[in-house]
Amino acid sequence: MRADVAIVGAGFAGLGLAIRLARRGFGDFVVLERADDVGGTWRDNRYPGVSCDVPSHLYSYSFRPAPDWSRVFAPGEEIHDYLRRAAVEEGVAPHVRYGAEMWRARWSPAEGRWEVTTAAGTWWVRVLVLAAGRLTEPRVPDVEGLDGFPGPVMHTSRWDDDVPLDGARVGVVGTGASAAQVIPRLAERASELVVFQRTPTWVVPRGDRPYSPGERRRLAEHPEAARALREEIFDDAERAVDARRRVRPAIDELRARARRHLRDQIDDPDLRARLAPGYEIGCKRIVLSDELYPALARDDVTLEDSALARVEGRTAVAASGARYDLDALVLATGFHAARQPYAPRVHGRRGTLAEHWADGMTAFASTSVHGFPNMFVLDGPNASLGHNSAIYMIETQIEYVLGALDHLARAGEPLEVSAAAERAYVRDVDAAARDTVWLAGGCRSWYLDEASGRLTLLWPGSARSFRERNARFDPEPYRTHRA
């Protein structure tokens, strides 16, 4: 099978590029999706309470606004429905091949194409776009005895609604963003809930609420009002980058807001002290929640402020030595985000992408990688944010890829960014990251590469600065070469 462009992944990034291609009248592309539906992380994450931490009107395509969001922060099912409708209504659904997990991608110099081997057949394509995202492979902790636990064990991204949790004794491992959403819902259902907290999390007020019928009607009838709301939300979020750069008074004000939230919601001074982080705010992902603290203060909820160390039958043993008899375990332990699981499967001119990324992910313009001609990565190295919408960043990268495709159509020969250009870009990113809270905040987070300690997931500046630098394709850093 042959196509001009193969897009791996049918989440926000993959569908966004597919929609833009379709709107251009370009139809020679295929979207390779390993699952049986579109939606990416919003398809996979169906745990109780799942929702977005970015306001709905900003967490959607700028070229496909949705005026009818039900809440300020949309629930996950609503976001999934938005993506499913987009795939159908934009005419890209027929281009999606389900059950087509990418097993191997190999650049063929002789063909000047990528040979992409999938569970649904092999494709020969001129351009390969990796849009598999960062939150795809769940991180399961290496806990002694976990495999022998007799009850159900679920990662939040592999939720099973058939597991009986009502009236059960449930343990939750983790206190990050997913945990903060699922804990209040589980506290309502379980007879006893034990939360294993390895590290306290900074929490700020969420301020979620439903949109009234009048608000939704006004936004639907007046597109300019919806655009103005989106811009207002974006500008508010952009101001938060100063705190991540440890600029004063921004970081002091954010820290004070979080401490005030903890004080206002937790009366017990002992519990309050156990929930107070010992690292700088923003070093790890900040949780937005008005429900987490009240849930942790319930009489039937136990905060175990140490990690899950081992499992002995039905007994979960904490690092503190405390023991808890449980019926079910929920793992809110995140993902293999900094080390992309697809990287060993992608073979370029001199080796695999995993080998190229041995010291952490790198890419020029956060999108193209030396040694991998005609390949682009969406939502990959330094292309995410800790303060604003990932969709804005994805759309910036889509513009870059579209510009590269236009150049390819004119030049005809494969495009490969130079090693020098990639190195220079990475040096700039590393220099900008050096004094940010992610590297100087006194913590280790999933934003950093485990081996090198580099900030490889986040862009260390504002969303606007990313767009200013990376939205327009420039052929100068590339060298065209004959296949």
Side-chain angles (χ1 to χ4, degrees):
M1 294 177 284
R2 297 175 76 86
D4 195 61
V5 179
I7 303 168
V8 179
F12 256 109
L15 287 180
L17 177 58
I19 290 169
R20 292 295 307 279
L21 290 174
R23 287 190 177 190
R24 286 175 153 216
F26 180 83
D28 192 10
F29 68 92
V30 62
V31 181
L32 304 173
E33 171 54 54
R34 68 178 181 179
D36 59 1
D37 197 1
V38 302
T41 190
W42 299 106
R43 174 200 60 234
D44 295 343
N45 286 269
R46 298 178 293 104
Y47 59 84
V50 60
S51 63
C52 190
D53 280 344
V54 174
S56 314
H57 284 277
L58 185 56
Y59 197 81
S60 49
Y61 298 125
S62 64
F63 51 81
R64 189 182 167 86
D68 58 343
W69 294 110
S70 66
R71 306 185 65 86
V72 173
F73 295 91
E77 184 178 2
E78 200 170 327
I79 300 171
H80 187 201
D81 287 343
Y82 168 81
L83 289 170
R84 295 173 80 179
R85 289 198 312 272
V88 172
E89 294 173 3
E90 296 285 350
V92 303
H95 294 267
V96 182
R97 301 295 180 268
Y98 298 109
E101 179 176 359
M102 184 186 73
W103 289 343
R104 187 172 186 262
R106 180 185 65 88
W107 172 253
S108 170
E111 294 281 343
R113 283 179 173 261
W114 285 92
E115 179 189 21
V116 185
T117 306
T118 80
T122 298
W123 291 81
W124 286 90
V125 298
R126 190 168 64 121
V127 176
L128 176 64
V129 181
L130 301 174
R134 300 165 291 109
L135 309 180
T136 59
E137 301 301 324
R139 181 186 294 275
V140 176
D142 184 15
V143 174
E144 179 186 349
L146 184 62
D147 291 343
F149 183 72
V153 179
M154 293 186 294
H155 192 276
T156 48
S157 66
R158 300 295 185 266
W159 195 263
D160 185 352
D161 288 321
D162 293 331
V163 170
L165 295 176
D166 294 330
R169 300 168 298 176
V170 181
V172 175
V173 181
T175 52
S178 298
Q181 294 180 349
V182 78
I183 285 170
R185 303 288 79 81
L186 293 180
E188 297 167 349
R189 299 174 58 183
S191 64
E192 177 186 352
L193 187 66
V194 178
V195 177
F196 294 88
Q197 172 188 266
R198 183 177 61 181
T199 309
T201 305
W202 287 101
V203 183
V204 297
R206 186 173 179 82
D208 190 23
R209 66 172 181 83
Y211 283 114
S212 70
E215 287 176 307
R216 295 169 71 176
R217 185 168 54 251
R218 181 178 67 87
L219 292 171
E221 294 174 354
H222 301 282
E224 70 281 1
R227 285 193 297 271
L229 176 59
R230 182 185 180 96
E231 291 170 3
E232 178 185 347
I233 296 169
F234 177 84
D235 289 339
D236 285 345
E238 275 290 80
R239 283 189 280 273
V241 74
D242 281 348
R244 274 65 175 184
R245 290 170 168 167
R246 301 193 302 153
V247 174
R248 289 183 167 173
I251 193 167
D252 300 323
E253 292 169 351
L254 180 61
R255 189 190 316 109
R257 184 182 177 213
R259 287 176 172 166
R260 187 165 56 248
H261 188 50
L262 175 60
R263 184 177 64 250
D264 290 346
Q265 290 205 312
I266 299 293
D267 294 329
D268 182 354
D270 175 65
L271 180 59
R272 193 187 308 145
R274 293 159 62 203
L275 288 168
Y279 55 88
E280 185 59 276
I281 189 167
C283 187
K284 292 179 181 287
R285 181 175 177 178
I286 299 173
V287 166
L288 280 67
S289 179
D290 298 316
E291 299 179 292
L292 176 61
Y293 285 153
L296 293 174
R298 291 173 57 127
D299 292 337
D300 52 2
V301 175
T302 299
L303 177 69
E304 168 53 54
D305 47 349
S306 71
L308 176 63
R310 67 183 185 277
V311 176
E312 300 174 356
R314 283 196 178 275
T315 303
V317 184
S320 67
R323 302 170 69 88
Y324 304 93
D325 292 333
L326 300 173
D327 301 311
L329 276 169
V330 173
L331 307 179
T333 47
F335 300 85
H336 292 282
R339 294 279 168 164
Q340 295 287 3
Y342 60 73
R345 307 180 185 187
V346 181
H347 299 254
R349 289 195 301 108
R350 296 190 182 92
T352 68
L353 193 55
E355 291 167 340
H356 188 81
W357 286 348
D359 293 325
M361 295 190 299
T362 60
F364 174 76
S366 296
T367 306
S368 57
V369 184
H370 174 67
F372 297 82
N374 287 8
M375 188 193 82
F376 304 96
V377 185
L378 300 183
D379 201 17
N382 298 111
S384 298
L385 293 170
H387 71 284
N388 210 326
S389 174
I391 312 306
Y392 182 91
M393 304 290 277
I394 286 169
E395 290 190 13
T396 300
Q397 291 189 286
I398 288 173
E399 288 297 331
Y400 188 91
V401 172
L402 293 175
L405 293 178
D406 288 342
H407 180 82
L408 272 170
R410 294 189 298 268
E413 296 183 336
L415 266 179
E416 180 184 343
V417 73
S418 71
E422 183 178 336
R423 285 195 300 268
Y425 182 86
V426 172
R427 280 198 301 269
D428 288 350
V429 171
D430 287 349
R434 190 170 299 124
D435 294 325
T436 63
V437 70
W438 301 297
L439 289 180
C443 79
R444 292 282 296 183
S445 74
W446 57 277
Y447 298 141
L448 308 182
D449 180 74
E450 293 177 354
S452 65
R454 292 181 50 249
L455 180 69
T456 56
L457 281 178
L458 301 184
W459 175 252
S462 67
R464 281 195 178 93
S465 70
F466 184 83
R467 181 159 292 187
E468 288 167 359
R469 177 158 186 171
N470 295 324
R472 187 179 67 84
F473 176 80
D474 178 5
E476 180 60 30
Y478 291 77
R479 56 182 179 89
T480 57
H481 61 88
R482 298 194 180 278

